[in-house]
């Protein structure tokens, strides 16, 4: 039986927050279908989502029509600012928490999780520029400013933008083993060597 990984899209989503994990997870699920996972992009509508820097992305499925999830990935981006004050969105996150075994976020997606109350008393991280905001949203969170991602069992939060790739590779290792994650890393030729 196929297990589903959903990456949430919304207007103002940071491109690499969504596309980085998508690259990792789609490479894995397409080259190793016997592992039993599928990844898709979901949004409130099937209209193109306007991302933070101008890219437009088409969702695969509407949120209300998505199959049950094994993993939810909540990216960040300027669009999350609205979500922090959107009680309907926060209630949706709480509902997901009740049924989705593994909740993950990238960048300021963790702020939405904090606002929804699902990071209460947990270690977590976010983009370096919003670490103080994470603390403000819930003072019980153990903010980890130096971690690329924080795995707290059924919740994983990743720092900003490119850290979502590291988190997604970690996710593959958790779900399918370290060797599979190494295959994916080699397949997407992810060997960071910053030029500066």
């Amino acid at each position: 039986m196929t297990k589903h990984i959903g990456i949430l899209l919304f207007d103002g989503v940071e491109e690499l927050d969504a596309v980085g994990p998508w690259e990792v997870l789609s490479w894995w699920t397409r080259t190793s279908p016997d592992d039993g996972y599928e990844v898709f992009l979901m949004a409130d509508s099937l209209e193109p989502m306007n991302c933070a820097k101008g890219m437009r992305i088409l969702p695969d499925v509407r949120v209300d029509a998505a199959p049950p999830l094994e993993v939810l990935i909540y990216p960040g981006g300027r669009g999350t600012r609205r979500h922090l004050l959107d009680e309907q969105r926060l209630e949706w996150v709480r509902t997901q928490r009740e049924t989705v075994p593994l909740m993950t976020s990238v960048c300021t997606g963790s702020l939405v999780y904090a606002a929804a109350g699902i990071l209460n008393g947990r270690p977590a991280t976010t983009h370096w520029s919003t670490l103080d905001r994470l603390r403000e949203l819930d003072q019980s969170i153990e903010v980890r400013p130096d971690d690329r991602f924080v795995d707290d069992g059924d919740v994983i939060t990743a720092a900003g933008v490119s850290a979502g790739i590291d988190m997604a590779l970690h996710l593959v290792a958790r779900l399918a083993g370290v060797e599979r994650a190494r295959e994916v890393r080699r397949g997407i030729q992810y060997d960071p060597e910053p030029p500066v």
Side-chain angles (χ1 to χ4, degrees):
M1 191 167 167
T2 302
K3 295 180 180 178
H4 303 283
I5 302 171
I7 301 175
L8 183 67
L9 297 179
F10 46 86
D11 281 331
V13 65
E14 181 66 35
E15 285 86 342
L16 195 58
D17 285 7
V19 176
W22 168 262
E23 177 67 29
V24 171
L25 298 170
S26 64
W27 200 97
W28 164 45
T29 58
R30 289 168 192 257
T31 59
S32 302
D34 290 346
D35 287 348
Y37 285 86
E38 175 188 54
V39 61
F40 54 82
L41 303 170
M42 59 185 198
D44 291 336
S45 81
L46 295 180
E47 295 298 312
M49 294 293 112
N50 298 305
C51 300
K53 295 182 179 70
M55 179 186 275
R56 297 176 65 183
I57 304 178
L58 284 174
D60 299 307
V61 65
R62 283 193 336 262
V63 167
D64 61 5
L69 299 177
E70 185 74 13
V71 181
L72 170 65
I73 298 176
Y74 205 118
R78 59 180 172 76
T80 58
R81 290 181 181 91
R82 292 187 306 275
H83 298 185
L84 299 179
L85 304 172
D86 182 342
E87 189 51 45
Q88 187 174 351
R89 175 71 66 180
L90 297 177
E91 187 54 38
W92 179 82
V93 170
R94 293 180 196 110
T95 301
Q96 298 309 298
R97 170 69 284 177
E98 294 171 7
T99 60
V100 178
L102 183 52
M103 304 279 286
T104 74
S105 67
V106 182
C107 196
T108 56
S110 64
L111 300 183
V112 180
Y113 284 1
I118 69 167
L119 296 182
N120 190 265
R122 291 179 175 268
T125 194
T126 189
H127 189 276
W128 62 267
S129 68
T130 57
L131 291 164
D132 288 342
R133 183 70 176 124
L134 184 60
R135 289 184 185 96
E136 290 168 7
L137 286 165
D138 184 340
Q139 294 183 1
S140 75
I141 296 171
E142 178 195 332
V143 177
R144 295 195 180 166
D146 300 320
D147 291 0
R148 291 282 286 170
F149 61 86
V150 177
D151 185 334
D152 192 41
D154 58 351
V155 176
I156 303 174
T157 55
V161 197
S162 65
I165 297 171
D166 296 357
M167 183 274 291
L169 284 166
H170 172 74
L171 192 56
V172 175
R174 268 190 58 168
L175 300 176
V178 172
E179 284 308 312
R180 183 70 80 223
R182 287 179 178 148
E183 289 171 14
V184 173
R185 180 179 172 182
R186 178 161 175 72
I188 64 171
Q189 201 161 0
Y190 181 60
D191 263 322
E193 291 186 24
V196 290

